[in-house]
């Protein structure tokens, strides 16, 4: 099996992040693909860690939280580099 990386840049979109992770989890239950999820949060004011904790036991998730907002383009490059 090939490993796939799902890269998710995030900034103040906790509700959408939770929906995204839930969709990935449901798809994982129906598939035998081996994949990882990489999330780079761009210094959100929302608590992303709570959402990640909920899904971390169910799927492989790598998390980066930027100390300050580095801009959308730089955050996308960061998550792809993970």
């Amino acid at each position: 099996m090939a490993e796939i990386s799902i890269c998710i840049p995030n900034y103040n979109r906790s509700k959408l992040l939770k929906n995204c992770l839930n969709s990935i989890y449901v798809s994982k239950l129906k598939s035998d693909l081996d994949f990882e999820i990489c999330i780079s949060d761009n210094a959100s004011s929302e608590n992303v860690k709570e959402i990640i904790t909920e899904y971390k036991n169910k799927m492989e998730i790598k998390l980066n939280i930027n100390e300050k907002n580095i801009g959308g383009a730089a955050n996308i490059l960061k998550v792809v580099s993970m």
Side-chain angles (χ1 to χ4, degrees), residues 14-56:
S14 292
K15 184 176 179 180
L16 295 175
L17 178 62
K18 185 171 182 161
N19 288 343
C20 180
L21 291 175
N22 191 57
S23 294
I24 294 168
Y25 178 67
V26 169
S27 295
K28 178 181 173 51
L29 294 175
K30 299 176 183 180
S31 171
D32 62 349
L33 285 176
D34 185 25
F35 61 85
E36 67 179 357
I37 301 165
C38 300
I39 301 170
S40 182
D41 183 72
N42 207 7
S44 293
S45 58
E46 301 170 347
N47 194 349
V48 173
K49 287 183 181 180
E50 287 179 9
I51 295 168
I52 303 305
T53 301
E54 182 180 341
Y55 288 92
K56 197 154 178 103

Side-chain angles (χ1 to χ4, degrees), residues 4 7 21 28 44 53 64-65 70 73:
I4 298 170
C7 300
L21 291 175
K28 178 181 173 51
S44 293
T53 301
N64 170 69
I65 298 179
I70 60 174

Side-chain angles (χ1 to χ4, degrees), residues 1-13:
M1 283 186 275
E3 185 170 307
I4 298 170
S5 295
I6 300 171
C7 300
I8 305 170
N10 183 66
Y11 177 69
N12 285 339
R13 299 282 187 251

Side-chain angles (χ1 to χ4, degrees), residues 50-81:
E50 287 179 9
I51 295 168
I52 303 305
T53 301
E54 182 180 341
Y55 288 92
K56 197 154 178 103
N57 295 332
K58 301 174 185 178
M59 301 180 288
E60 182 182 347
I61 298 176
K62 294 180 182 179
L63 175 63
N64 170 69
I65 298 179
N66 298 320
E67 290 183 21
K68 64 178 185 169
N69 189 318
I70 60 174
N75 196 42
I76 290 169
L77 291 174
K78 177 64 180 178
V79 74
V80 170
S81 73

